[in-house]
Amino acid sequence: MEDRGGSPELFVFLASTVHDMKNSLSVLGGTLESLLVKQEARQGVGQGVGQDAAHDASYPQMAHMLYQTRRLSDNLMQLLALYKEVGKPTYPFEPVTVPLGELVHQVASQSRVLLEAKEIRLDLDFPPELLWTLDEDLVIGVLCHAINNAVRYTRDRIRLAIAEHDGMLEFRVEDNGMGFPPSMIEAGAAVGQGVNFLTNSSGLGLFFASEVAKMHRRRQRGGAVRLENGGPLDGGCFVLTLP
Amino acid sequence: MAGTYITASGAPVPEISGVDWSEKRYLIVDDFVGIRQLLRESLRNIGARHIDQASSGGEAMTLLGRMHYDVVLCDFNLGEGKNGQQVLEEARVRNLMVPSSVWLMVSAEKSVEAVMGAAEHQPDAYIIKPITEGVLLTRLNRVWHKKQVFHGIDAAYIDKDYLRAARLCDEQIARHPVHEIDLMRMKATLLLKAGEPDKARVVYEKLLEEREYNWARAGLGKIRLANGDHEAALQMFQGVIAENRFYIDAYDQLAAALELLGRHEDACGVLERAAKLSPNSVPRQRSLGNAALRIGNVQLAEHAFRKCLAIGEYSIRRTVDAYLGMARVCGMKNDTKEALRLLAVAQRDFPGDLVELRSKVTEGLVYHESGDFRRARKSGDQLEAMLEGESRRPHTATCIEMATLLFAVGVKEAPVELLCHVVRNNHDNAVLLDEVQKIFDKARMGEEGAELIAAARKEAAEMMNEGVLLWKTGRLAEAVAWMRASRERLPDNMRILFNSAQMLITHMQQQGYDEELMIEANGVLMHVDSLAPGQQRFAQLVEQLQELIPRRDAPAAGGVDDPAGTMEDAAGGKAAPAA
């Protein structure tokens, strides 16, 4: 209930700067996506994964630029959400009821171009009609970030699976890479126990995901995140559970 | 129901929603050219062909004035001039949007105004940047679907038939579980408007069993407040704010609770915090200015009214109150010249009969407070002359303000007439009658005032009883005519208005539908609602009135339990109608 610290002028200045950065990143990401799609069409890629898309050396480089742009955009979103006010982690939370089909469609279409360019297949396994109440923008943000992360670790497959287990909804983002290094698994466990593990950028993503999970409360239960190795693809698994 | 999709592209095809987005007209409003191109690209990809663009709020207003758009994608942050919220407000207030059109507000981040419903006019959805096609299409389809679900409810809401609208919510909840939370929220709002706080409470409590919704908790607080349980309401609002500092509505409610408890300083402090969190709301800055004036904090009042004028400049919600308030502040700072300039602006920019009266009162107060009693007296004389030439009277609060000033500057007859008018129209409001008596006491007219109050109350009661008597003895047409005349004399008397509407409705229930009586009854009820919204009897009468309207699609008769309704006499007792 105390007043906002810092000067209002500074706050307005920061807000407008962030607005500007977001615009630039949007344009950068959007332009890269459309260039990739055009190239794909020109080279007749996209008929299926596994075709040789590297006629043009710039294609994989652009794909990597898109990946980096996405990371920037994700990190900016997370920082904004966590430090909505200068130095105060608060964020307006807005739960809405959505069918999982709509949620997954939004996540998958956001990752589509990047995954195609990187020749990674996305498998989906979820009950599309199931309704769940959650903060849609936050959860989409967490899942897209987890998929982006998996792009770095995976060989050529990522799986997004959602299922309900005794009143909790479990989202799993799995890959067929080498799995998370032990330090990351520990970081996941530490975040789960409420320890801030902000040593690097992956720590930020994990911390943000954990904050988002905790914001979701229903009948006295809260959400959580954890990291595992194994699963059907025998790689790294990011797990988000929501009440 | 688990479906496994394995796609190369990773994008499952969304359910076909039955909406053809290619035939619609689109408007993109953004000050950043790159974003406009990006959005245009996305819209083309979902099949759109008619796309217009605007790079500023002003340009958007011009286009909106020329053409009805089906979908508006508007950035919240538009640089200089109007912001997206102000464009939306003006478009809604000027009716430039048809009910079916979709307004999507785009913003770089979730702002307080955006998510917490701090603004009165809400867009259909907010989309956070960066926008992707999947998100855009999903949200467009969802908004369109929700509009279909709410169509009948919104129509009943506009007719103020709150009880029917609440029943429609129940029907839609059964059909569309995906919208259950929104429908329950709407239902609770409707029940509150219909004067059924206990039923609204049940809805909120059911929602809160599942999850902690700020608005539901604040809704319970509002009900407590309305029941006179100010302390409990206070604690609820404080709890909501502790849980979520951004839920602006709770601050406004908390301030209202503090006012009712007589803690004006604290109320002002709460409004000040709310205004810091959400500085761009004209009504909030105005309440803050008025609260600050009440506790004599001139500096804070000045700041609030200045802000009010600044944000009002681009907003359709610019109101005269900020000018009058600012003029008072200037008077307190002994800057009469600036005060008079503001009053001149108010009268120039806000044409309307009551603005002249209110400006004149403010002028008198400014002179009076700055110690220029000669000029204050002159304003009082002018105000008296204006009142003589005008039979209509403004709302109670303004009447009391005028009477107070007139007594202060030494005018006598006009304020007495004003106070009698107030008493006649509020003859059973004990709190207000006390306030009027105090004004008489202060003017050293205590005994005379008490007699005047008694006489005015008696006049109102007699008028009421005569109408009820005619009605009870079965002379319906005469009763209706009598009440019509009573309304002329007592235009704002709630009892008279309610009974008058009840008689018109009963008359039609017995003698058949009549368009003129229908329009008259509707006018009376809308006037009641503008005086004091949220009354149970209002909702019941509107429902009865709506049922009388011959519908072409003639639904099965809803059946009125008590077609004759109930009539209250002046004593407030229920009287059974004579059949």
Side-chain angles (χ1 to χ4, degrees), chain B residues 383-439:
Chain B
L383 182 61
E384 189 176 30
M386 285 160 90
L387 286 166
E388 273 170 25
E390 168 65 79
S391 61
R392 289 174 313 150
R393 292 287 172 260
H395 280 324
T396 301
T398 311
C399 286
I400 291 211
E401 208 175 36
M402 290 197 288
T404 311
L405 169 78
L406 288 165
F407 274 142
V409 301
V411 179
K412 194 180 158 189
E413 277 176 34
V416 166
E417 182 272 326
L418 281 168
L419 291 175
C420 287
H421 168 86
V422 168
V423 173
R424 275 197 305 274
N425 284 292
N426 299 279
H427 71 282
D428 51 359
N429 181 339
V431 176
L432 189 65
L433 297 181
D434 276 350
E435 196 181 336
V436 172
Q437 182 65 57
K438 284 201 181 89
I439 297 171

Side-chain angles (χ1 to χ4, degrees), chain A residues 1-4 15-16 18-20 22-27 30-31 34 48-49 70 73 80 84-85 88 90-99 101-106 108-113 115-116 120-129 131-138 140 216-220 243, chain B residues 1-15 30-32 34-35 38 41 75-78 107-112 114-116 126-139 142 177-181 209-214 238 241-246 251 254 270 272-273 276-277:
Chain A
M1 294 267 309
E2 74 291 354
D3 285 344
R4 164 184 288 154
S16 68
V18 162
H19 173 81
D20 213 54
K22 275 243 173 170
N23 277 341
S24 299
L25 280 172
S26 298
V27 173
T31 311
S34 62
V49 179
R70 279 292 158 77
S73 185
L80 257 184
K84 178 80 182 52
E85 285 182 36
K88 284 195 193 141
T90 48
Y91 191 89
F93 178 73
E94 187 192 18
V96 293
T97 308
V98 290
E102 289 182 11
L103 187 81
V104 171
H105 169 68
Q106 293 175 82
S109 64
Q110 212 163 127
S111 320
R112 185 182 66 91
V113 177
L115 293 172
E116 279 179 7
I120 294 166
R121 189 174 90 175
L122 178 66
D123 299 343
L124 300 168
D125 183 353
F126 65 99
E129 302 298 322
L131 299 179
W132 210 265
T133 303
L134 40 78
D135 185 312
E136 196 178 20
D137 289 315
L138 287 175
I140 290 174
H216 289 79
R217 298 200 62 77
R218 177 181 171 203
R219 296 185 179 274
Q220 320 309 320
Chain B
M1 277 281 336
T4 304
Y5 300 68
I6 297 188
T7 58
S9 64
V13 178
E15 287 292 297
D30 198 305
D31 58 335
F32 198 83
I35 294 287
L38 209 60
E41 195 64 30
D75 197 306
F76 185 86
N77 196 326
L78 296 172
S107 60
E109 45 153 2
K110 283 202 168 183
S111 72
V112 181
V115 181
M116 292 306 158
Y126 284 93
I127 301 191
I128 309 297
K129 287 179 184 176
I131 299 178
T132 59
E133 275 158 48
V135 170
L136 187 59
L137 191 58
T138 306
R139 306 289 167 96
R142 189 182 300 158
V178 70
H179 294 298
E180 182 177 16
I181 296 170
E209 275 172 25
E210 268 305 301
R211 290 171 200 271
E212 188 57 36
Y213 298 103
N214 292 315
Q238 281 170 335
I241 292 170
E243 185 75 23
N244 189 333
R245 302 183 37 237
F246 287 114
Y251 290 79
L254 178 61
V270 168
E272 197 178 356
R273 272 204 305 276
K276 274 208 176 97
L277 278 173

Side-chain angles (χ1 to χ4, degrees), chain B residues 17-35:
Chain B
S17 63
V19 190
D20 181 4
W21 294 111
S22 65
E23 282 308 309
K24 308 228 177 282
R25 293 198 161 276
Y26 295 82
L27 174 63
I28 297 170
V29 189
D30 198 305
D31 58 335
F32 198 83
V33 63
I35 294 287

Side-chain angles (χ1 to χ4, degrees), chain B residues 88-150:
Chain B
L88 167 66
E89 277 171 7
E90 185 161 342
R92 288 263 164 87
V93 173
R94 285 172 53 194
N95 273 323
L96 303 176
M97 305 279 292
V98 287
S100 63
S101 38
V102 171
W103 190 291
L104 296 181
M105 195 73 85
V106 179
S107 60
E109 45 153 2
K110 283 202 168 183
S111 72
V112 181
E113 276 91 348
V115 181
M116 292 306 158
E120 186 191 351
H121 291 278
Q122 292 289 322
D124 293 298
Y126 284 93
I127 301 191
I128 309 297
K129 287 179 184 176
I131 299 178
T132 59
E133 275 158 48
V135 170
L136 187 59
L137 191 58
T138 306
R139 306 289 167 96
L140 275 173
N141 283 327
R142 189 182 300 158
V143 165
W144 186 85
H145 183 249
K146 191 175 158 185
K147 274 188 186 286
Q148 307 304 306
V149 169
F150 274 83

Side-chain angles (χ1 to χ4, degrees), chain B residues 39-306:
Chain B
L39 285 172
R40 192 184 56 197
E41 195 64 30
S42 294
L43 288 174
R44 284 194 176 151
N45 288 344
I46 66 170
R49 291 200 300 271
H50 319 287
I51 306 170
D52 288 343
Q53 300 181 33
S55 61
S56 71
E59 211 177 311
M61 283 324 308
T62 308
L63 288 169
L64 283 160
R66 272 190 223 150
M67 156 106 67
H68 274 304
Y69 291 97
D70 301 298
V71 179
V72 179
L73 287 169
C74 180
D75 197 306
F76 185 86
N77 196 326
L78 296 172
E80 288 292 300
K82 283 179 197 295
N83 65 27
Q85 181 63 34
Q86 289 165 334
V87 175
L88 167 66
E89 277 171 7
E90 185 161 342
R92 288 263 164 87
V93 173
R94 285 172 53 194
N95 273 323
L96 303 176
M97 305 279 292
V98 287
S100 63
S101 38
V102 171
W103 190 291
L104 296 181
M105 195 73 85
V106 179
S107 60
E109 45 153 2
K110 283 202 168 183
S111 72
V112 181
E113 276 91 348
V115 181
M116 292 306 158
E120 186 191 351
H121 291 278
Q122 292 289 322
D124 293 298
Y126 284 93
I127 301 191
I128 309 297
K129 287 179 184 176
I131 299 178
T132 59
E133 275 158 48
V135 170
L136 187 59
L137 191 58
T138 306
R139 306 289 167 96
L140 275 173
N141 283 327
R142 189 182 300 158
V143 165
W144 186 85
H145 183 249
K146 191 175 158 185
K147 274 188 186 286
Q148 307 304 306
V149 169
F150 274 83
H151 180 74
I153 297 165
D154 289 341
Y157 187 105
I158 289 165
D159 287 341
K160 303 204 177 189
D161 192 349
Y162 301 131
L163 293 166
R164 189 167 65 91
R167 278 199 304 279
L168 290 172
C169 286
D170 280 334
E171 285 173 24
Q172 294 292 14
I173 288 169
R175 271 185 232 146
H176 302 286
V178 70
H179 294 298
E180 182 177 16
I181 296 170
D182 288 329
L183 286 161
M184 299 242 312
R185 184 177 184 174
M186 181 58 141
K187 184 182 162 185
T189 306
L190 288 161
L191 289 167
L192 280 180
K193 283 192 167 289
E196 299 283 2
D198 289 327
K199 289 180 184 162
R201 188 171 49 84
V202 172
V203 177
Y204 284 136
E205 282 171 350
K206 190 173 166 207
L207 282 158
L208 288 165
E209 275 172 25
E210 268 305 301
R211 290 171 200 271
E212 188 57 36
Y213 298 103
N214 292 315
W215 43 266
R217 185 67 61 194
L220 285 184
K222 282 179 209 172
I223 292 168
R224 286 281 167 87
L225 197 60
N227 289 343
D229 197 349
H230 303 156
E231 279 293 346
L234 188 82
Q235 283 169 12
M236 275 187 163
F237 298 133
Q238 281 170 335
V240 171
I241 292 170
E243 185 75 23
N244 189 333
R245 302 183 37 237
F246 287 114
Y247 192 61
I248 292 291
D249 188 39
Y251 290 79
D252 296 343
Q253 299 295 332
L254 178 61
L258 287 163
E259 290 282 0
L260 287 166
L261 287 162
R263 292 163 57 183
H264 299 294
E265 294 267 351
D266 294 342
C268 192
V270 168
L271 284 173
E272 197 178 356
R273 272 204 305 276
K276 274 208 176 97
L277 278 173
S278 167
N280 293 325
S281 151
V282 173
R284 182 164 307 105
Q285 294 288 357
R286 191 179 58 222
S287 337
L288 174 59
N290 288 329
L293 273 185
R294 202 168 25 238
I295 61 170
N297 185 337
V298 179
Q299 203 184 351
L300 181 59
E302 174 173 11
H303 188 265
F305 286 126
R306 274 202 195 288

